[in-house]
Amino acid sequence: MSGKKFNIAVAGATGAVGNQMITCLEERNFPVKSIKFLASSRSAGRKLRFRGDLVEVEELTENSFKGVDIALFSAGGGTSVKFAPFAAKDGCVVIDNSSAWRMDPDVPLVVPEVNPHAVAQYTNKGIIANPNCSTIQMVVPLNPIHKKCGIKRIVVSTYQAVSGTGKKAIDELFDQTKAMINFIDYKINVYPHRIAFNCLPHIDVFLENGYTKEEMKMVDETRKIMEDDTMGVTATTVRVPVYFSHSESINIETREHISADEVKSLLENEPGIKVVDDPKKNIYPLAIDAAGQDLTFVGRIRNDESIPNGINMWVVADNIRKGAATNTVQIAEILAENYL
Ligand code: A2P
């Protein structure tokens, strides 16, 4: 780092991801000159800690960004659509965790391990988008394979933690589980069905083509980040009763042959990845082990014996950290080091 320090704002600071963004800024020792915490009027006046100091939460308004260099947004799509342009107008670079700007051709969509060069396009609109959590942890291990032997098609099924829906969903899983084991009535508020002791093949809204929006995010964002519109991607996204970390079963078909052993050694040498793959000893990636970590864990790497060039793998990462907050702060680091 150059030694320069930056004025930072966190929009959605009181939320599950916003909170973790604050922790990541602290843990990664981001060069912060000043920090502003923004949320809805409901939270104005609340105090949150940053590096030992209490900082008062302010209501997010059109005028919140004067003098701010970088704003990390995680306050929902509607809030990003409304307020990111005001931030950009005031010369602040927005790194947005919502889906609002991801597919805008003028907005770079960045996973630092995959396409750090795309950060340079922040000048178009003053906005950089952080991809969907499920997409991030998929492209991290797939990009090195794509570069080596070309991925023709991806078939992915996800097992996604409730924290991806926010604090209310974390509480709902806890309350329903408690009610169930005490044989009392449970309430359903956040999801259309009970999430405790259940799996819901439904994340975000259903679209005309029968897929959910979450599934199509994985399709479109993967192609944009890996810069290959010809890649076939099909996804089934499922919410499971897990608090933190998404798990994914990923099947790929490559253009050139690569063996499971070659994939293992390739991924063992990649930054941001930990291969955890010794099934005979019951060792494979687990949501409970990935929670709180920044790495993407890959295991169960094996040849797909049903086709000549196929690989299966199981990929797990903390959706709030690598899937959201850590990736956002990593983007801010690239921006701060190279462009501001
Ligand atoms: P608040 O806590 O004041 O509602 P989560 O995804 O965990 O539910 O968090 C959402 C975050 O986005 C919270 O910090 C929330 O603030 C913030 N937020 C939601 N709606 C708005 C809004 N209209 N303006 C500003 N912040 C908002």
Side-chain angles (χ1 to χ4, degrees):
M1 286 259 178
S2 63
K4 203 174 160 195
K5 293 191 172 183
F6 301 89
N7 299 318
I8 303 293
V10 179
T14 51
V17 172
N19 235 285
Q20 201 56 239
M21 284 171 168
I22 297 167
T23 305
C24 284
L25 289 168
E26 289 176 329
E27 284 178 359
R28 300 175 72 92
N29 213 12
F30 193 88
V32 175
K33 195 196 291 172
S34 72
I35 195 141
K36 225 177 196 190
F37 293 150
L38 305 167
S40 77
S41 54
R42 296 179 292 273
S43 304
R46 258 186 73 187
K47 290 197 170 105
L48 298 175
R49 218 166 259 288
F50 184 71
R51 293 183 179 158
D53 295 329
L54 284 172
V55 179
E56 195 166 304
V57 177
E58 298 170 39
E59 181 182 355
L60 171 60
T61 70
E62 295 166 7
N63 300 315
S64 296
F65 302 98
K66 296 205 175 4
V68 175
D69 300 308
I70 304 173
L72 311 181
F73 266 65
S74 191
T79 311
S80 294
V81 169
K82 186 167 169 199
F83 292 102
F86 288 107
K89 189 167 68 59
D90 281 337
C92 163
V93 184
V94 172
I95 308 175
D96 181 38
N97 190 52
S98 82
S99 61
W101 301 96
R102 288 180 192 152
M103 294 314 294
D104 184 322
D106 291 330
V107 172
L109 183 64
V110 180
V111 177
E113 291 85 347
V114 178
N115 62 339
H117 51 271
V119 169
Q121 296 163 32
Y122 81 92
T123 49
N124 294 346
K125 278 198 167 151
I127 303 170
I128 301 171
N130 195 61
N132 178 263
C133 42
S134 313
T135 310
I136 293 176
Q137 72 178 74
M138 180 165 84
V139 298
V140 167
L142 293 195
N143 193 56
I145 304 172
H146 186 50
K147 280 200 294 201
K148 193 169 162 62
C149 50
I151 294 177
K152 210 155 109 183
R153 181 168 184 247
I154 304 170
V155 181
V156 57
S157 298
T158 70
Y159 305 67
Q160 298 184 218
V162 294
S163 51
T165 317
K167 267 187 181 157
K168 283 190 236 89
I170 298 174
D171 294 342
E172 180 138 317
L173 173 58
F174 181 79
D175 292 341
Q176 288 179 353
T177 306
K178 204 169 64 174
M180 297 277 298
I181 59 177
N182 286 299
F183 301 99
I184 56 174
D185 288 342
Y186 55 83
K187 292 197 185 76
I188 293 175
N189 292 313
V190 177
Y191 299 115
H193 305 279
R194 195 183 83 208
I195 183 64
F197 306 100
N198 205 4
C199 297
L200 310 179
H202 175 183
I203 300 184
D204 210 328
V205 295
F206 281 100
L207 303 172
E208 278 301 305
N209 65 357
Y211 284 79
T212 62
K213 201 168 165 193
E214 182 83 352
E215 288 159 353
M216 291 315 295
K217 284 178 202 166
M218 291 192 78
V219 174
D220 298 332
E221 294 178 19
T222 297
R223 290 182 179 146
K224 179 167 175 175
I225 300 161
M226 287 167 70
E227 298 168 355
D228 184 351
D229 282 341
T230 66
M231 192 184 285
V233 185
T234 186
T236 304
T237 57
V238 181
R239 189 74 66 190
V240 296
V242 166
Y243 283 123
F244 297 101
S245 301
H246 293 347
S247 304
E248 297 181 356
S249 161
I250 302 175
N251 173 267
I252 55 169
E253 183 175 2
T254 54
R255 295 188 191 280
E256 286 160 40
H257 184 76
I258 185 164
S259 71
D261 285 340
E262 285 168 323
V263 169
K264 251 187 230 179
S265 21
L266 179 67
L267 298 185
E268 267 161 1
N269 294 309
E270 286 294 325
I273 295 178
K274 182 156 188 208
V275 175
V276 180
D277 202 7
D278 194 352
K280 290 204 176 94
K281 293 188 182 150
N282 301 335
I283 293 173
Y284 30 72
L286 293 175
I288 53 173
D289 296 334
Q293 307 282 320
D294 287 328
L295 295 171
T296 298
F297 298 86
V298 187
R300 300 294 322 280
I301 301 169
R302 61 208 191 277
N303 297 307
D304 172 355
E305 294 181 344
S306 70
I307 49 172
N309 294 340
I311 293 286
N312 285 307
M313 61 177 76
W314 179 250
V315 176
V316 183
D318 186 322
N319 55 303
I320 299 294
R321 289 189 63 108
K322 182 56 189 164
T326 306
N327 202 72
T328 307
V329 174
Q330 284 176 311
I331 295 171
E333 287 169 353
I334 296 174
L335 192 65
E337 270 172 50
N338 303 285
Y339 300 100
L340 297 185

